[in-house]
Amino acid sequence: MTLPQSFYRRSALVVARDLLGTLLVHRTSAGTVVGRIVETEAYLGVKDPASHAYRGQTNRNRAMFGPPGRAYIYFTYGMHYCFNIVCRDHGIAAAVLIRALEPVRGLPLMHKRRRVNDVHQLTNGPAKLVSAMGITKEYYDQPVYRGPLTVQRPLGDRPKHISRGPRIGISRGQQFPYRFWLTDNSSVSQAR
DNA sequence: TGCCTGATTGCCT
DNA sequence: GGCAATCAGGCAA
């Protein structure tokens, strides 16, 4: 079942935790790839110093201020893209960064896109998974509750062991434990 | 206009 | 563990 738009209308902290264990699905003419979300980070609005929305709305971050359930994709370090899902209602900035997946389906296509042999290196980082999934900037501000790129609720139980701690790669707001991951999952991103 | 930084990654020592 | 790659956004001047 595809998660409905209303799923994302809640606090990014709640959505970040609830996304763990769900499936990110991308269907293209090249094939279908599926990854299980195992690590997320919540970014809040204008009060969160680590958020792109901290200094208010700009052309780059405008999707974060838009309706919930759409993709906020940004280009960084001159070469990488990261994928977020927008939360809260139109006018309130919030998003969840998808930091890591566990490869589920379409592994040959993921290997082709990523050019690595180790399955653990396929999707264990925010820019790595964007590459492996074939997500492009064309999805900027596009919904993830319908269309080629969606999030699905899997069959079976929800994950039981969830960990929480500071976000990674930020220089401000490290005191907030807004990162969530499946405890002991081998696809969670590597700390550096 | 110019400078600095970044929600990262991969390669090098 | 260190650092280059590589560029758009944001801000100061």
Side-chain angles (χ1 to χ4, degrees):
Chain A
M1 180 202 86
T2 304
L3 295 179
Q5 184 180 25
S6 57
F7 178 91
Y8 305 101
R9 210 180 307 275
R10 304 171 295 159
S11 159
L13 290 166
V14 174
V15 174
R17 186 203 302 257
D18 282 1
L19 278 174
L20 294 177
T22 64
L23 301 174
L24 184 61
V25 179
H26 190 202
R27 295 186 173 92
T28 67
S29 55
T32 296
V33 287
V34 180
R36 181 174 180 236
I37 297 176
V38 299
E39 181 181 0
T40 58
E41 282 178 357
Y43 286 88
L44 309 187
V46 292
K47 292 180 183 173
D48 179 358
S51 172
H52 288 168
Y54 183 52
R55 297 175 196 283
Q57 185 173 342
T58 66
N59 188 53
R60 182 203 198 196
N61 66 19
R62 65 185 160 77
M64 277 188 78
F65 291 80
R70 297 195 189 180
Y72 167 49
I73 295 163
Y74 65 87
F75 182 61
T76 192
Y77 290 102
M79 63 185 83
H80 299 301
Y81 288 93
C82 294
F83 169 68
N84 302 249
I85 304 177
V86 176
C87 300
R88 303 294 303 276
D89 256 317
H90 192 284
I92 304 173
V96 172
L97 171 69
I98 309 303
R99 279 200 63 89
L101 306 172
E102 185 180 283
V104 171
R105 225 184 105 191
L107 272 69
L109 185 51
M110 291 188 187
H111 280 288
K112 187 178 170 187
R113 288 167 170 158
R114 284 272 300 136
R115 299 201 185 94
V116 292
N117 292 321
D118 182 3
V119 70
H120 292 105
Q121 291 294 318
L122 238 30
T123 52
N124 65 336
K128 295 179 186 178
L129 71 88
V130 163
S131 172
M133 293 293 293
I135 297 170
T136 67
K137 64 181 192 303
E138 309 305 315
Y139 286 100
Y140 185 91
D141 208 28
Q142 292 301 117
V144 297
Y145 47 88
R146 60 163 185 257
L149 181 65
T150 56
V151 181
Q152 313 271 140
R153 191 188 298 286
L155 302 173
D157 296 333
R158 310 180 90 188
K160 290 186 176 60
H161 301 291
I162 292 173
S163 298
R164 156 172 208 178
R167 292 171 290 185
I168 291 178
I170 56 174
S171 57
R172 290 169 302 194
Q174 289 129 323
Q175 68 269 40
F176 305 116
Y178 292 172
R179 173 174 170 249
F180 302 86
W181 66 95
L182 294 187
T183 308
D184 296 330
N185 187 284
S186 61
S187 290
V188 168
S189 69
Q190 303 290 311
R192 322 189 44 139

